[in-house]
Amino acid sequence: MKEEIVRFGVSLPRKLKEDFDRIMKKKGYRNRSKFIADLVRKLLVEEEWEKGKEVVGVILLIYNHHQRELVEKILDIQHHNTKNILSTQHIHLDRENCLEITIVRGKPGKLQKLWGELGSLKGVKFSNFLPATTGKHLI
Ligand code: NI
């Protein structure tokens, strides 16, 4: 089913419009409509998170696998959360450092707690979380 496209006019202060075009180009967009649509979608994903809908996310960990018991603790947390973990990918960066991404799905609060549990383990040098969407509520 093809979605109907509607047009609408936008009024902006000149400086703001210049900033808009500058940022749009910097991000690699060549089309204002596509840029605005993606900005709105970003806000819709934020709303999904605020409303506590089922969402997906990516947990990134950088850690030293020589840290005592760290790998066991990470595996233990992952085995206790199989309902929320879709996939894990592990990359050995060098002799001691590992990068691990875990793709998670569930309620926002649960996923953020899981990130906190993993990211706060001793030996984790860096962690980050990318909130995303199941895509069900977006076109
Ligand atoms: Ni490794």
Side-chain angles (χ1 to χ4, degrees):
M1 197 181 76
K2 206 169 182 308
E3 194 69 27
E4 184 196 0
I5 303 295
V6 292
R7 294 178 68 91
F8 64 100
V10 178
S11 305
L12 291 177
R14 181 174 301 279
K15 173 73 169 72
L16 194 57
K17 191 260 177 196
E18 286 167 7
D19 284 341
F20 179 88
D21 285 340
R22 181 179 54 77
I23 289 171
M24 183 182 85
K25 284 196 186 99
K26 199 167 132 186
K27 299 234 178 237
Y29 284 81
R30 278 173 290 178
N31 178 321
R32 284 192 191 120
S33 296
K34 171 72 176 145
F35 187 48
I36 287 175
D38 283 356
L39 289 174
V40 174
R41 288 190 189 105
K42 201 175 269 189
L43 294 173
L44 288 170
V45 173
E46 277 178 26
E47 193 181 61
E48 285 180 27
W49 279 78
E50 283 162 13
K51 286 188 172 172
K53 292 185 176 173
E54 188 192 52
V55 289
V56 298
V58 183
I59 298 169
L60 169 80
L61 301 176
I62 305 286
Y63 62 87
N64 181 343
H65 75 101
H66 292 137
Q67 175 70 42
R68 217 169 66 86
E69 291 177 0
L70 176 58
V71 174
E72 288 82 352
K73 282 178 188 161
I74 290 173
L75 286 172
D76 206 44
I77 291 171
Q78 289 172 343
H79 278 274
H80 278 94
N81 290 280
T82 51
K83 277 184 190 156
N84 294 105
I85 294 177
L86 299 176
S87 165
T88 297
Q89 184 168 18
H90 183 104
I91 294 129
H92 313 301
L93 292 173
D94 56 35
R95 279 179 179 274
E96 57 185 34
N97 294 296
C98 303
L99 180 156
E100 194 161 295
I101 54 167
T102 303
I103 302 173
V104 289
R105 178 181 195 147
K107 298 283 180 191
K110 174 71 194 168
L111 303 189
Q112 268 159 339
K113 186 166 173 260
L114 200 47
W115 172 37
E117 281 177 34
L118 290 164
S120 63
L121 291 172
K122 192 176 176 190
V124 174
K125 296 179 176 182
F126 177 77
S127 86
N128 213 338
F129 184 76
L130 173 69
T133 173
T134 62
K136 281 180 195 166
H137 310 286
L138 290 184
I139 53 147

